[in-house]
Amino acid sequence: MGIFNREIKFVLASGSPRRKELLSEIIPSFDIAVSEADEESVPKTLAPELYVEELALLKAAASSKTLDKKKSYIVIGADTVVTLDGEILGKPADESDAFNMLKRLSGRKHEVYTGYCVMRLEDGFTLSKAEKTEVFFKELDDERIRTYVKTGEPMDKAGAYGIQGLGKVLINKINGDYNNVVGLPVSALFDVLEKEFDIRLL
């Protein structure tokens, strides 16, 4: 399809400013159609990688319903979760919940899974995948956790921390894609668009 097929219209099925920023690194222009998907319909008893794949598919499908299927739309959905000992940690309900999550993560390794779905509306071709990154936390004392929670940064983040913000100082190391922890595995998504959807972006 050449270096960049400008007839293709890309749509991000997410209102996340972090995903928007990451996607803009490989796709210069796209629309946003925030999904109204019922995320509670996906059981958390699924394996984490399947759970995020299903959520990404659900979001992409919900957003696609608002679009004209006669046009060359590519819809991208994504969802990220943090898991510890196999348990999914979502966004904290309040500061106390955030403190407890960070207390559990302290000094431990946990996993971050991001599911991403690419949907081509013209023919319905859809592909969902998941990427995993291991994150290792430093030992955190209660005062440090409380101070971090008071910044407000943890409150809209899965696992109660943001690796792209102040939360980076809580982390010793990661194994895997940094962008996956932020919310979108850009390199893996790039490969899927190129190899599976025949869209060359670079």
Side-chain angles (χ1 to χ4, degrees), residues 43-53 88 113:
K44 290 187 177 180
T45 51
L46 289 174
E49 60 268 35
L50 294 178
Y51 178 73
V52 291
E53 283 183 25
I88 292 173
Y113 292 87

Side-chain angles (χ1 to χ4, degrees), residues 20-35:
K20 179 181 178 182
E21 182 179 353
L22 287 170
L23 187 61
S24 69
E25 293 174 359
I26 60 169
I27 298 175
S29 178
F30 56 88
D31 295 328
I32 293 176
V34 179
S35 165

Side-chain angles (χ1 to χ4, degrees), residues 148-159:
Y148 178 58
V149 170
K150 287 295 182 184
T151 68
E153 184 175 275
M155 302 315 298
D156 65 339
K157 311 287 193 305

Side-chain angles (χ1 to χ4, degrees), residues 87-106:
E87 179 187 347
I88 292 173
L89 304 181
K91 297 175 183 178
D94 51 34
E95 288 190 356
S96 176
D97 194 24
F99 176 89
N100 290 333
M101 280 190 195
L102 292 165
K103 184 80 171 173
R104 291 179 62 191
L105 295 174
S106 174

Side-chain angles (χ1 to χ4, degrees), residues 105-117:
L105 295 174
S106 174
R108 302 277 311 276
K109 178 192 80 171
H110 65 271
E111 298 77 37
V112 177
Y113 292 87
T114 294
Y116 58 101
C117 174

Side-chain angles (χ1 to χ4, degrees), residues 13 63 76 198:
S63 292
I76 299 168
D198 194 28

Side-chain angles (χ1 to χ4, degrees), residues 121-196:
L121 264 58
E122 281 183 309
D123 60 1
F125 179 54
T126 301
L127 194 62
S128 295
K129 291 193 172 188
E131 194 81 8
K132 180 180 84 167
T133 302
E134 295 178 332
V135 181
F136 297 78
F137 257 41
K138 298 174 182 177
E139 291 281 355
L140 308 174
D141 59 39
D142 289 0
E143 182 180 356
R144 176 150 298 177
I145 294 173
R146 288 193 188 96
T147 301
Y148 178 58
V149 170
K150 287 295 182 184
T151 68
E153 184 175 275
M155 302 315 298
D156 65 339
K157 311 287 193 305
Y161 73 93
I163 193 171
Q164 74 282 3
L166 188 58
K168 64 172 60 75
V169 304
L170 310 179
I171 294 166
N172 260 333
K173 65 176 182 177
I174 69 169
N175 287 336
D177 184 359
Y178 167 86
N179 290 325
N180 190 56
V181 185
V182 179
L184 192 68
V186 177
S187 180
L189 174 61
F190 179 94
D191 289 345
V192 165
L193 288 169
E194 188 167 81
K195 296 173 183 176
E196 305 294 340

